[in-house]
């Protein structure tokens, strides 16, 4: 039995250079990591100043889309509310009339509320939506100081009017009936060069659709 | 108009409220209250990539007596609620509460008997942060919004007046039981 | 299946369905027999309460043995195929043939059916949607263009039809024809364009049109009231009881986040089967009316109502009532819409807390004769008192039903539907009325022409004439239904009771409002204590006093509603407790208004702000039927309990409010909740002692003819139509539009005497009224009929008192 501290026959006494390295260099070498890092690119994100774009499929706040003529896609069917695991969506449908038309077809969502204090941004509502009316944006700066402000109304959720769109209510401008809208069988709206049959960009960038300050003032 | 015009250039004036608010907001010491998945995002926010140290809040204190911001990160069970309240009571004034994530804010998808339906049933909440869980940017955004709130906090007579105004507004507001839609 | 062998031999046949043998009564349809073995055959046109028609062909089954050893060559519609002994049936579960046939039918049905389920109101509760999932193919082979129609057309102001969704099952047309008797809709066109239609000038104006919406197996029929308002999967359903009439129809209240979205018929085979009237279905918007009283109010020294807390309101009400009690007494007018328990609370409150018998539920013309009749023949009869009463089933099984002072279609919709069902099976209906109404015609009633006021005389002669009129003498299988209106016809109620006693026919009193019968049982009458105890009987008083823990009860019978109003107007009564009474409903609206103004202290328990609120010193908002538990007692005496739909903490039922005031007065009622009140009612039980004899009415003075100056003098016949100006129908415009127009109905003689005018002016002692004329061939000479509440403030306020004679002139009021 030999003591563990006893040098083994094949482990010779460390050489002088090794000893020198261990005693002088190694303590300094640790700082090398620090020193090297000083010349590397900083990993810290300058978040409020520089906003790094999220992945395109990021689940941010919702948006209610429009057809290229500005009519709403939402038909108030409440399938999103049904799909919602957190019961965060409240929809009330109503009837379009010839004088007051918000969406193609008979029915539109008159009341549309999403409670962001319940919403877990899971996206099941998006999958449930039969008209692709509800999609998610990449906008995420949602914090607020009271519960009421975090229930977003339809006016806050609706997509902004792009050029060529007209604020509803108005008549169906793109087709004879709702079938033309649903099937995408409408001519590109005048002035819109890149009109795909299925309408507006459904995932916008991180730009909030409506500025928060304006929204608050409207309350 | 007043004294500002007579002062030499380069001299800034402010109010006591402004200075105090500036000092307070720049030195939050958060108490960790990580309860669930949101806590992971909260930890990341303190790490090098998001680095809340940039806003003077690098130290997450383990003792509530050294903290002035409670970040409630995660769902609060009924059993945890008294603990939460005790920690809050032990924190030194002035103190703030940030409800991080939907579960802390309103119970989120856990609408059941076991979960407190919003931590504001237990402690006063200054900032609600949606998300499940919120990404660190969202937390930082909430903290910065809280900064603005702290910066504009009033003192003394102004504060009393503000409190009275808020109280009146709250009394005149529609009671929750009468509200329609999702507020019910 | 566990019947005796004899019965099996005579009535039951054995069939084998999917290999399971089952004994079912002869003539059972295969589709029902299959339900007995737990096999659900898909179906659309089949409805257990409608005659089989075999229109949709969805229920095809394979019959390898029709009972005679031979197979039926093709799949058969099981909804029209009666079972035969030894029949073998294979449904879609065991037979590939049946399954393929059903899938084929489904594919054909879906060819023209639009796939707009997200928009359709039926989506989520749609038999077509469900059965397409369970018994249809995953995809369609149809590649053409679907047939479309212009979007919905109005069958009536309330009912809309989306023709492209219709699968032509004819449930609605069969309902309209067989059940409601209003065949305004039928199939029109042919082939692919076949559709449900109406004649251009005849909209689907039926009082029961809403039922077609409920039984439509697709979303083709929708209502203006519910269209696009909600989705079935968001709704919470609570059972309820309709509060609009005394029939106690079972309803289903569908609500969402504290708001009633729609009401549907419940399924109660003993009461309303699966049908309710449109009033029960659509008249619920009054619940959310903007003039609902939000909180208690107390009139301050400045004469203005101020919001108050409940304890403060109780204290002020108690103080004021104590003063008024000392200053002359307090009268209690409860109105007819109370639940049984609430009415009981009023009854106890009047006796125990106010020490008076001045309590009356009748917010309508009434008489002493009626008071006696209710005590002698109505109170403590029927199931509510543990006795056998006349039931809906008895109506269906009766040989003859005599209707006196009752127009079932307007005043008791469920009775009307039962009578119609009974009359289709052979029951004879005798209608003692001034003319044969459309409703009476629909129950194939034979008219016993009777001028208003002569009901008594006609009833006295009816025992002898019944055989000649109805084909059989009245006996114990027969039923006499008397309406509440008979109170205005002197001697009629007595004659009805005599008729029943003489012939053995069974007698039932049919009030119009839901709370009336319960109020009789609860003792909201000046001569009755709860359970039918006569006030005049000392042992009955001891009974009640013991149950309520008080030493004694007031001995003298009180004043009835008209007398209370007169006494208060004259200053004899200092205080009034009013529970939802509209002055325009009372015998003399002017006196009631004067009483409200003259009384020094008025406590109003109301749902919505009303005329009483303007005079009230304390206004106590009470819970609507959706916010409280309770029960209504139907005209049969059947207790129909229901639970609260919503839990609203600040919404208190009448009995809780009265208990609060009574406690402040130092005379607690002994209950604070509905359950406690029920326990007390049960502990008190009903009176089994001697019943008060009905008083013999004094011979009525003939009504003074209105001073005639031109025109003709006619007796006024009137009743309230189902849909009229009642405040419980507020808020639904489509329902309002389905009201029948207000017309004055004249006989040919009077019409000719007036020179065939397009409209007439009626002059009464309280005002004049101009209405369009409708000539009724069967009208008794010397009578004019006018709806009671369809124009203005109603006849009692604007035209004349009950039993009046009117001067009628041609043309408008000039």
């Amino acid at each position: 039995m030999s003591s563990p501290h006893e040098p083994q026959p094949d482990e010779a006494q460390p050489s002088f250079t090794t000893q020198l390295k261990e005693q002088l260099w190694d303590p300094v070498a640790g700082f090398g990591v620090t020193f090297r890092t000083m010349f590397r690119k900083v990993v810290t994100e300058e978040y409020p100043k520089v906003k790094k774009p999220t992945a395109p499929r990021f689940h941010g706040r919702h948006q209610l889309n429009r057809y290229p003529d500005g009519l709403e896609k939402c038909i108030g069917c409440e399938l999103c509310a049904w799909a919602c695991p957190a019961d965060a969506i409240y929809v009330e449908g109503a009837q379009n009339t010839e004088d007051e038309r918000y969406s193609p077809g008979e029915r539109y969502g008159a009341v549309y509320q999403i409670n962001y204090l319940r919403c877990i941004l899971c996206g099941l509502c998006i999958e449930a939506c039969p008209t692709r009316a509800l999609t998610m944006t990449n906008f995420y700066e949602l914090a607020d100081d009271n519960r009421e402000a975090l229930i977003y109304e339809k006016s806050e959720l609706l997509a902004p009017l792009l050029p060529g769109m007209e604020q509803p209510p108005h008549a169906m401008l793109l087709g004879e009936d709702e079938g033309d809208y649903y099937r995408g069988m409408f001519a590109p709206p005048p002035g819109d060069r890149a009109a795909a049959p299925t309408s507006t960009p459904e995932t916008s960038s991180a730009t909030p659709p409506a500025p928060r300050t304006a929204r608050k003032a409207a309350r | 108009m007043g004294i500002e015009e007579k002062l030499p250039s380069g001299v800034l004036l402010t109010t006591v409220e402004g200075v105090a608010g500036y000092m307070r907001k720049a030195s939050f010491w958060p108490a960790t209250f990580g309860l669930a998945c949101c806590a992971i995002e909260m930890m990341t926010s303190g790490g090098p990539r998001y680095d809340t140290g940039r806003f003077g809040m690098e130290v997450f204190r383990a003792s509530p007596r050294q903290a002035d911001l409670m970040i409630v990160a995660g769902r609060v069970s009924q059993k945890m609620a008294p603990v939460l309240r005790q920690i809050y009571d032990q924190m030194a004034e002035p103190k703030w509460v940030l409800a991080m994530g939907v579960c802390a804010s309103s119970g989120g998808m856990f609408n059941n008997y076991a979960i407190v339906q919003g931590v504001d049933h237990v402690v006063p909440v200054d900032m609600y942060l949606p998300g499940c869980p919120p990404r660190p940017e969202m937390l930082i955004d909430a903290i910065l919004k809280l900064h603005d709130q702290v910066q504009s906090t009033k003192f003394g007579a102004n504060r009393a007046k503000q409190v009275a105004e808020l109280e009146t507004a709250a009394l005149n507001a529609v009671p929750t039981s009468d509200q329609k839609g999702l507020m019910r | 299946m566990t019947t005796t062998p004899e019965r099996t031999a005579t009535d039951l046949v054995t069939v084998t369905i999917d290999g399971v043998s089952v004994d079912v009564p002869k003539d059972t349809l295969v589709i029902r027999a299959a339900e007995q073995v737990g096999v659900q055959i898909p179906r659309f046109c089949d409805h257990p309460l409608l005659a089989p028609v075999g229109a949709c062909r969805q229920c095809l089954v394979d019959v390898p043995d029709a009972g005679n050893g031979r197979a039926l060559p093709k799949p058969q519609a099981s909804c029209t195929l009666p079972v035969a002994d030894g029949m073998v049936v294979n449904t879609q579960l065991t037979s590939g043939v049946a399954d393929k046939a059903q899938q084929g039918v489904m594919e054909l049905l879906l060819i023209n059916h639009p796939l707009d389920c997200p928009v359709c109101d039926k989506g989520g509760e749609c038999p077509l949607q469900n059965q397409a999932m369970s018994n249809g193919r995953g995809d369609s082979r149809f590649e053409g263009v679907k047939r479309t129609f212009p979007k919905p057309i109005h069958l009536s102001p309330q009912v809309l039809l989306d023709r492209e969704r219709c699968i032509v099952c004819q449930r609605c047309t069969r309902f309209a024809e067989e059940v409601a008797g209003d065949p305004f809709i039928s199939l029109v066109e042919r082939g692919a364009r076949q559709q449900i239609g109406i004649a251009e000038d005849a909209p689907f104006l039926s009082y029961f049109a809403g039922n077609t919406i409920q039984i439509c197996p697709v979303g083709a029929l929708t209502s203006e009231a519910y269209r696009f308002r909600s989705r079935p999967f968001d709704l919470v359903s609570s059972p309820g009881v309709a509060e609009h009439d005394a029939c106690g129809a079972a309803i289903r209240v569908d609500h969402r986040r504290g708001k009633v979205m729609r009401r549907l018929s419940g399924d109660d085979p003993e009461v309303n089967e699966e049908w309710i009237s449109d009033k029960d279905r659509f008249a619920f918007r009054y619940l959310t009316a903007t003039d609902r009283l939000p909180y208690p109010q107390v009139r301050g020294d400045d004469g203005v109502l101020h919001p108050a807390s409940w304890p403060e309101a109780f204290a002020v009400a108690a103080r004021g009532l104590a003063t008024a009690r000392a200053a002359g007494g307090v009268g209690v007018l409860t109105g007819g819409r109370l639940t049984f328990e609430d009415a009981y609370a009023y009854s106890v409150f009047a006796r125990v807390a106010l020490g008076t018998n001045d309590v009356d539920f009748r917010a309508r013309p009434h008489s002493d004769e009626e008071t006696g009749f209710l005590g002698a023949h109505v109170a403590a009869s029927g199931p509510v008192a543990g006795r056998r009463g006349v039931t809906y089933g008895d109506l269906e099984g009766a040989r003859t039903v005599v209707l006196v002072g009752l127009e079932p279609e307007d005043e008791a919709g469920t009775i009307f539907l039962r009578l119609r069902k009974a009359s289709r099976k052979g029951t004879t209906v005798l209608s003692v009325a001034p003319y044969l109404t459309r409703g009476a015609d629909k129950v194939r009633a034979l008219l016993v022409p009777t001028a208003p006021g002569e009901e008594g005389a006609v009833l006295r002669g009816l025992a002898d004439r019944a055989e000649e009129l109805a084909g059989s003498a009245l006996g114990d299988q027969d039923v006499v239904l008397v309406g509440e209106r008979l109170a205005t016809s002197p001697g009629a109620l007595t004659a009805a009771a005599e008729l029943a006693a003489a012939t053995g026919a069974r007698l039932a009193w049919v009030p119009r409002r839901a709370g009336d019968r319960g109020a009789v049982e609860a003792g909201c009458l000046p001569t009755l204590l709860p359970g039918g105890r006569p006030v005049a009987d000392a042992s009955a008083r001891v009974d009640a006093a013991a149950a309520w823990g008080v030493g004694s009860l007031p001995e003298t019978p009180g004043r009835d509603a008209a007398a209370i109003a007169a006494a208060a107007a004259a200053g004899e009564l200092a205080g009034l407790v009013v529970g939802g009474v509209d002055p325009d409903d009372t015998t003399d609206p002017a006196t009631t208004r004067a009483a409200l103004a003259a009384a020094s202290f008025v406590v109003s328990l109301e749902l919505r702000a009303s005329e009483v609120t303007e005079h009230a010193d304390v206004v106590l908002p009470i819970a609507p039927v959706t916010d409280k538990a309770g029960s209504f007692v139907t005209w049969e005496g059947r207790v129909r309990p229901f639970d609260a739909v919503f839990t609203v903490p600040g919404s208190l039922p009448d009995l809780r409010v009265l208990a609060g005031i009574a406690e402040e007065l130092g005379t607690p009622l002994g209950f604070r909740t509905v359950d406690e009140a029920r326990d007390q009612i049960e502990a008190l039980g009903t009176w089994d002692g001697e019943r008060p004899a009905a008083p013999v009415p004094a011979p009525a003075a003939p009504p003074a003819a209105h001073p005639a100056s031109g025109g003709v003098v006619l007796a006024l016949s009137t009743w309230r139509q189902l849909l009229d100006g009642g405040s419980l129908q507020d808020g639904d415009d489509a329902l309002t539009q389905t009201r029948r127009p207000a017309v004055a109905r004249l006989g040919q003689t009077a019409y000719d005497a007036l020179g065939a005018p397009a409209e007439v002016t009626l002059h009464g002692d309280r005002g004049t009224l101009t209405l369009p004329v409708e000539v009724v061939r069967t009208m008794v000479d010397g009578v004019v009929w006018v709806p009671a509440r369809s124009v203005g403030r109603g006849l009692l306020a604007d035209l004349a008192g009950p039993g009046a004679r009117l001067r009628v002139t041609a043309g408008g009021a000039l």
Side-chain angles (χ1 to χ4, degrees):
Chain A
M1 286 284 292
S2 57
S3 147
H5 300 292
E6 202 177 321
Q8 296 298 309
D10 53 338
E11 270 189 28
Q13 186 75 16
S15 69
F16 174 73
T17 50
T18 312
Q19 278 186 2
L20 198 68
K21 178 173 175 293
E22 280 179 358
Q23 286 171 9
L24 290 179
W25 175 243
D26 282 4
V28 179
F31 290 102
V33 176
T34 313
F35 191 69
R36 230 172 25 243
T37 310
M38 286 168 74
F39 298 99
R40 285 211 181 136
K41 195 166 174 281
V42 178
V43 294
T44 307
E45 288 182 4
E46 294 293 321
Y47 160 66
K49 291 183 194 131
V50 183
K51 289 176 183 167
K52 201 179 157 200
T54 60
R57 286 173 298 168
F58 176 77
H59 286 184
R61 61 158 274 189
H62 299 80
Q63 173 173 285
L64 284 169
N65 298 307
R66 298 173 188 271
Y67 287 104
D69 63 351
L71 284 180
E72 293 156 16
K73 287 189 173 181
C74 178
I75 53 169
C77 70
E78 299 182 28
L79 288 176
C80 46
W82 194 27
C84 184
D87 197 15
I89 307 184
Y90 178 81
V91 189
E92 263 180 35
Q95 191 166 357
N96 281 318
T97 58
E98 284 309 317
D99 308 327
E100 203 175 346
R101 173 173 294 286
Y102 292 91
S103 72
E106 289 180 275
R107 181 174 178 144
Y108 75 102
V111 177
Y112 200 104
Q113 296 178 335
I114 297 183
N115 182 353
Y116 279 102
L117 286 186
R118 290 260 178 212
C119 173
I120 56 170
L121 304 170
C122 63
L124 289 179
C125 46
I126 309 307
E127 287 177 38
C129 186
T131 59
R132 292 283 290 158
L134 191 66
T135 52
M136 281 172 142
T137 65
N138 293 346
F139 178 73
Y140 53 76
E141 290 164 340
L142 293 165
D144 210 324
D145 60 358
N146 66 83
R147 278 190 179 214
E148 218 167 322
L150 280 159
I151 295 174
Y152 279 49
E153 299 280 345
K154 186 179 157 191
S155 53
E156 298 153 43
L157 292 167
L158 268 175
L161 287 164
L162 296 179
M165 290 183 176
E166 195 182 322
Q167 176 73 38
H170 61 74
M172 287 186 276
L173 303 175
L174 297 179
E176 293 285 306
D177 62 0
E178 65 270 22
D180 291 346
Y181 278 83
Y182 298 152
R183 287 186 285 267
M185 291 168 65
F186 43 74
D192 191 356
R193 46 197 165 34
T198 46
S199 79
T200 60
E202 276 154 359
T203 45
S204 72
S205 64
T207 328
R212 285 295 288 171
T213 46
R215 204 173 71 77
K216 268 192 162 173
R219 237 167 232 291
Chain B
M1 214 166 151
I3 192 170
E4 298 94 327
E5 287 165 9
K6 302 197 173 71
L7 285 170
S9 67
V11 175
L12 290 175
L13 279 183
T14 181
T15 57
V16 178
E17 282 171 351
V19 173
Y22 181 75
M23 305 269 178
R24 280 179 175 181
K25 79 168 189 185
S27 60
F28 271 153
W29 281 18
T32 53
F33 213 96
L35 292 165
C37 16
C38 283
I40 306 295
E41 298 292 317
M42 182 170 71
M43 288 183 242
T44 311
S45 310
R49 189 173 167 113
Y50 295 100
D51 194 14
T52 49
R54 291 181 290 150
F55 313 109
M57 49 189 292
E58 52 268 82
V59 271
F60 277 81
R61 306 308 305 194
S63 163
R65 300 191 191 281
Q66 298 159 6
D68 55 4
L69 170 67
M70 176 154 69
I71 302 179
V72 186
R75 64 195 115 75
V76 182
S77 63
Q78 300 285 2
K79 213 169 177 181
M80 199 64 184
V83 181
L84 181 107
R85 178 73 210 192
Q86 190 175 2
I87 301 254
Y88 177 77
D89 288 341
Q90 286 171 345
M91 281 163 57
E93 286 276 9
K95 54 195 173 187
W96 295 271
V97 177
L98 195 158
M100 178 179 181
V102 291
C103 303
S105 299
S106 74
M109 65 182 297
F110 301 105
N111 191 350
N112 61 41
Y113 63 89
I115 302 294
V116 175
Q117 295 300 300
V119 74
D120 51 4
H121 289 249
V122 187
V123 293
V125 173
D126 298 284
M127 188 57 62
Y128 298 89
L129 172 59
C132 187
R135 49 194 285 144
E137 282 101 329
M138 294 168 83
L139 178 58
I140 292 170
D141 172 57
I143 290 168
L144 292 178
K145 280 175 178 161
L146 188 56
H147 278 183
D148 291 346
Q149 204 179 312
V150 171
Q151 171 75 68
S152 58
T153 306
K154 299 197 184 330
F155 287 99
N158 291 346
R159 176 69 184 156
K161 198 174 142 212
Q162 191 189 24
V163 166
E165 274 169 14
L166 290 171
E167 188 71 20
T168 317
L171 282 173
N172 291 332
V174 184
T176 314
S177 59
D178 286 351
Q179 281 172 335
K180 295 287 171 269
L182 284 173
M183 280 307 285
R184 262 200 82 110
Chain C
M1 277 154 270
T2 52
T3 42
T4 51
E6 305 85 69
R7 283 209 54 185
T8 312
T10 52
D11 292 329
L12 297 186
V13 294
T14 306
V15 288
T16 307
I17 297 172
D18 287 341
V20 181
S21 174
V22 59
D23 293 342
V24 292
K26 200 163 161 293
D27 292 336
T28 305
L29 299 172
V30 168
I31 198 165
R32 304 262 174 284
E35 282 167 6
Q36 301 220 339
V37 297
V39 174
Q40 165 93 6
I41 300 173
R43 84 285 300 267
F44 297 112
C45 66
D46 173 70
H47 192 285
L49 296 175
L50 300 174
V53 64
C56 70
R57 317 307 291 176
Q58 184 57 52
C59 60
L60 294 177
V61 291
D62 187 25
V63 186
D65 181 351
N68 53 7
R70 282 184 308 205
L72 290 173
K74 289 179 180 174
Q76 297 293 310
S78 59
C79 72
T80 51
L81 183 68
V83 293
D85 203 16
M87 183 184 262
V88 177
V89 175
N90 289 332
T91 71
Q92 73 277 9
L93 299 181
T94 51
S95 157
V97 174
D99 194 36
K100 182 160 182 269
Q102 288 179 7
Q103 293 195 3
V105 171
M106 180 66 77
E107 196 176 350
L108 283 168
L109 287 177
L110 289 177
I111 276 184
N112 275 324
H113 190 84
L115 298 179
D116 60 350
C117 302
V119 173
C120 176
D121 276 339
K122 206 82 177 179
E125 57 177 7
C126 176
L128 180 60
Q129 207 178 26
N130 294 343
Q131 290 174 165
M133 300 301 282
S134 61
N135 299 82
R137 287 202 181 93
D139 53 272
S140 169
R141 288 169 287 179
F142 181 68
E143 287 171 352
V145 179
K146 290 192 185 226
R147 169 208 61 187
T148 54
F149 287 105
K151 267 299 185 181
I153 52 172
H154 278 88
L155 294 183
S156 79
Q158 182 69 272
V159 183
L160 291 96
L161 169 66
D162 287 286
R163 286 168 292 176
E164 56 201 22
R165 289 188 194 140
C166 179
I167 57 167
V168 207
C169 71
Q170 300 170 47
R171 270 190 185 184
C172 52
T173 53
R174 281 184 293 149
F175 170 84
E177 191 180 330
E178 293 171 17
V179 180
D182 295 313
F184 293 126
I185 50 173
S186 71
L187 283 180
V188 294
E189 304 275 355
R190 311 195 124 236
R193 297 201 65 81
Q194 192 171 44
Q195 54 184 276
I196 303 296
I198 47 170
E200 255 175 45
D201 52 349
F204 184 33
L205 284 179
S206 168
Y207 281 160
F208 305 94
N211 292 302
T212 59
I213 298 166
Q214 189 172 348
I215 59 172
C216 181
V218 295
L221 293 172
T222 49
S223 67
E224 192 69 54
Y226 178 67
R227 199 171 162 82
F228 301 152
R229 279 170 57 81
S230 182
R231 303 309 304 271
F233 38 76
D234 278 337
L235 297 172
V236 182
S237 298
S238 305
V241 177
E243 77 277 31
H244 291 297
D245 61 18
C247 295
I251 54 169
R252 201 180 102 189
V253 182
D254 282 2
H255 53 97
R256 179 185 187 193
R257 290 185 194 258
K259 201 172 162 192
V260 177
M261 303 306 281
R262 66 171 175 182
R263 302 210 302 197
L264 296 177
S265 169
D267 181 5
D268 193 332
E270 297 210 331
V271 180
N272 59 324
E273 300 188 305
E274 294 181 31
W275 321 121
I276 55 174
S277 69
D278 278 7
K279 191 175 178 184
D280 292 341
R281 185 179 302 268
F282 297 119
F284 59 83
R285 298 276 171 83
Y286 74 92
L287 293 167
T288 45
T290 48
D291 58 354
R292 269 279 295 278
L293 296 165
Y295 36 70
Q297 295 174 72
V298 171
R299 196 171 294 279
D301 296 333
D302 53 356
V304 179
L305 287 170
H306 297 288
S309 68
W310 281 107
E312 185 195 347
F314 289 162
V316 174
R319 238 178 4 247
L321 288 175
T323 316
R325 186 175 56 187
V330 182
V332 183
L333 299 171
T334 72
R337 298 189 194 120
L338 302 175
T339 64
F340 184 27
E341 292 81 1
D342 285 340
Y344 177 75
Y346 275 99
S347 178
V348 182
F349 183 78
R351 273 70 187 225
V352 172
L354 300 176
T356 176
N357 280 317
D358 291 342
V359 52
D360 198 340
F361 72 89
R362 292 170 295 185
R364 56 176 167 80
H366 54 88
S367 65
D368 288 344
E369 185 190 356
E370 188 195 15
T371 315
F373 176 82
L374 293 178
H377 300 289
V378 176
S381 67
V384 65
R387 298 185 171 90
R388 186 167 169 264
V390 181
T391 62
Y392 287 106
D394 294 339
L395 294 184
E396 217 174 306
R399 270 182 316 179
T400 308
V401 176
V402 182
L403 304 173
V404 200
L406 178 67
E407 171 57 32
E409 196 187 17
D410 279 326
E411 295 174 299
T414 309
I415 293 182
F416 168 76
L417 293 182
R418 270 311 167 98
L419 282 179
R420 183 163 160 80
K421 188 175 176 190
S423 71
R424 285 169 66 90
K425 290 201 289 191
T427 300
T428 310
V429 179
L430 292 180
S431 173
V432 178
Y435 72 101
L436 190 67
T437 59
R438 229 178 81 70
D441 193 37
K442 281 185 271 191
V443 298
R444 301 179 192 180
L446 303 168
L447 180 69
V448 185
T450 311
E454 287 168 18
E455 284 90 349
V458 170
L459 283 174
R460 270 187 286 277
L462 199 63
D464 303 328
R465 290 172 62 200
E467 186 151 8
E468 162 207 339
L469 287 166
S472 63
L474 291 179
D476 59 1
Q477 277 186 14
D478 302 325
V479 178
V480 178
L481 294 181
V482 295
E484 62 171 32
R485 284 188 275 127
L486 225 48
T488 60
S489 174
L493 285 169
T494 313
E498 284 167 7
L499 175 70
T503 60
R506 303 172 61 210
L507 180 67
W509 175 72
V510 183
R512 207 180 60 85
R513 292 198 175 114
D516 281 359
R517 182 62 203 270
V520 173
E521 297 301 331
C524 284
L525 274 173
T527 57
L528 281 186
L529 294 171
R533 289 175 176 75
V535 165
D537 192 313
S539 60
R541 287 202 305 276
V542 170
D543 233 15
W548 299 337
V550 290
S552 67
L553 294 175
E555 291 174 20
T556 49
R559 302 171 173 96
D560 66 11
I564 289 173
E572 290 165 37
L573 281 176
L576 284 176
V577 176
V578 186
V581 175
D582 182 349
D584 289 335
D585 285 344
T586 55
T587 316
D588 188 352
T591 311
T592 310
R593 289 201 171 85
L596 288 170
S600 60
F601 194 77
V602 178
V603 178
S604 170
L605 288 85
E606 253 293 27
L607 186 64
R608 294 164 59 189
S610 69
E611 216 176 319
V612 184
T613 315
E614 294 161 20
H615 297 287
D617 296 284
V618 179
V619 178
L620 298 155
I622 46 124
V625 282
T626 47
D627 291 359
K628 62 183 174 192
S631 43
F632 287 124
V633 182
T634 68
W635 63 274
E636 314 162 85
R638 189 195 298 265
V639 183
R640 301 283 282 163
F642 56 90
D643 274 330
V645 173
F646 306 123
T647 312
V648 185
S651 196
L652 306 182
D654 299 55
L655 68 89
R656 177 68 190 85
V657 174
L658 293 172
I661 300 174
E663 280 161 32
E664 285 289 331
L665 281 165
T667 48
L669 301 184
F671 51 82
R672 278 178 155 195
T673 64
V674 173
D675 283 337
E676 286 166 12
R678 282 177 183 163
D679 288 349
Q680 204 184 80
I681 294 171
E682 191 160 333
L684 184 58
T686 49
W687 179 239
D688 45 11
E690 199 181 326
R691 283 165 164 273
V696 179
H706 195 261
S709 58
V712 292
V713 175
L714 299 174
L716 170 65
S717 167
T718 182
W719 58 78
R720 293 184 64 152
Q721 293 184 313
L722 183 79
L723 301 173
D724 61 6
S727 62
L728 292 193
Q729 300 155 50
D730 289 351
D732 193 325
D733 291 338
L735 185 67
T736 308
Q737 287 173 40
T738 58
R739 283 183 197 168
R740 293 188 181 161
V743 293
R745 298 208 168 106
L746 293 173
Q748 192 69 48
T749 322
Y751 183 69
D752 294 341
L754 287 167
E759 55 181 24
V760 289
T761 303
L762 309 145
H763 306 264
D765 52 352
R766 296 178 189 168
T768 60
L769 199 62
T770 304
L771 286 174
V773 172
E774 188 179 306
V775 182
V776 180
R777 198 176 43 79
T778 52
M779 182 70 79
V780 178
D781 279 348
V783 179
V784 59
W785 180 88
V786 187
R789 197 67 203 271
S790 295
V791 278
R793 295 182 302 165
L795 297 192
L796 290 168
D798 287 346
L799 187 61
R805 296 178 74 79
L806 307 172
R807 186 166 61 81
V808 181
T809 55
L814 287 171

